[in-house]
Amino acid sequence: NIADQDIAANAALLQVVGAIKITKKTDKPTVEKKVKENTKYTSDGGYGEGYNDVADYNMGDSVPFKLIGSVPSMEYYDKYYYEFSDTMSKGLTLDQNSIKVYTATNKAGTDKAEVTGWTKDVTPNPDGTTSFQIKFSDLKSTLNGITAKYILVEYSAVLNQEAVVGRPGNPNEVKLIYSN
C-alpha cells in the first residue's frame, strides 16, 4: 500500500483495470540540525567535531549551528526547488552575516565547498522568534556537474537575554521544502 510508505509521490487519478505495479521515480530529501558544543563534547559522531543535538553556552556567546540536507535524485525534474526553513527561539539572535552554504559528500563536511545560487529571507515573527529561509529556486542547475550528497548550511546565533536557562532550553526547528 503506497499510502503507508514514507516516499515522494505525485497524486494522480487512475482507472485501474487490472493489477499494476507502481515504482517510485524519485527519493525524498531529508534534513537534520546540529549544534556545536563549546567544550564538553569534542568527539565526532559523523557530523563534524563537537556537533550533536544539544549544547551548553552562556548569555552573549555565539552558538554555531549546522543544517544538513540530503541531495535527492533529480533526474526526472527539469527544475528542483529546495528550501531550508529555520525558526529560532526568542533566546537566539541570528547573525545573518555568518550564513554560509556548502556542498559536501558527508555530513561532517570534510570536503565542503562553498556554493552560490541561493537566496536568503529573514523574518521576525510576532511571537518574538525569528525565521529564515535559504532557497534554491533550481537546485538541479546549481549542482550541475557537482557530485554532492549533502547541502550544508552553517550559521551562528547569539544567546541573548531572552534565553531560557535549563530545560527545555532554546529549541529551534528546521524543515525542508522541496519539489515533489
Side-chain angles (χ1 to χ4, degrees):
N1 181 351
I2 196 169
D4 295 333
Q5 298 178 20
D6 186 16
I7 63 171
N10 289 332
L13 292 174
L14 301 172
Q15 180 178 5
V16 179
V17 292
I20 62 168
K21 181 178 179 182
I22 298 176
T23 305
K24 68 178 182 174
K25 293 185 176 166
T26 187
D27 57 352
K28 181 177 99 169
T30 60
V31 66
E32 296 178 82
K33 182 176 202 167
K34 299 296 176 182
V35 61
K36 187 170 187 177
E37 174 60 76
N38 56 354
T39 57
K40 295 178 186 168
Y41 181 84
T42 56
S43 63
D44 182 349
Y47 298 99
E49 186 176 327
Y51 280 96
N52 70 80
D53 295 324
V54 295
D56 294 323
Y57 282 91
N58 297 315
M59 300 280 188
D61 286 349
S62 181
V63 182
F65 289 92
K66 181 190 293 188
L67 308 179
I68 305 162
S70 64
V71 174
S73 169
M74 297 177 280
E75 64 183 310
Y76 296 102
Y77 291 87
D78 293 329
K79 290 178 71 173
Y80 196 90
Y81 184 82
Y82 196 90
E83 174 187 328
F84 292 92
S85 182
D86 192 325
T87 301
M88 305 174 64
S89 74
K90 291 188 278 188
L92 292 166
T93 303
L94 175 66
D95 176 359
Q96 293 187 47
N97 295 324
S98 71
I99 298 172
K100 302 284 185 206
V101 182
Y102 305 95
T103 58
T105 59
N106 59 50
K107 294 177 181 182
T110 56
D111 63 348
K112 68 184 180 185
E114 197 161 354
V115 68
T116 58
W118 54 275
T119 59
K120 167 185 72 177
D121 290 328
V122 179
T123 308
N125 299 317
D127 64 358
T129 63
T130 300
S131 296
F132 73 94
Q133 293 76 38
I134 301 299
K135 302 175 184 179
F136 290 88
S137 62
D138 186 5
L139 184 64
K140 185 173 182 173
S141 69
T142 298
L143 296 183
N144 188 24
I146 298 173
T147 304
K149 292 183 180 180
Y150 301 97
I151 303 294
L152 307 178
V153 177
E154 295 181 0
Y155 67 93
S156 297
V158 174
L159 203 57
N160 65 41
Q161 69 277 4
E162 296 288 327
V164 174
V165 177
R167 298 274 178 194
N170 300 279
N172 52 356
E173 63 181 47
V174 65
K175 62 183 173 179
L176 189 62
I177 301 159
Y178 55 90
S179 291
N180 184 0

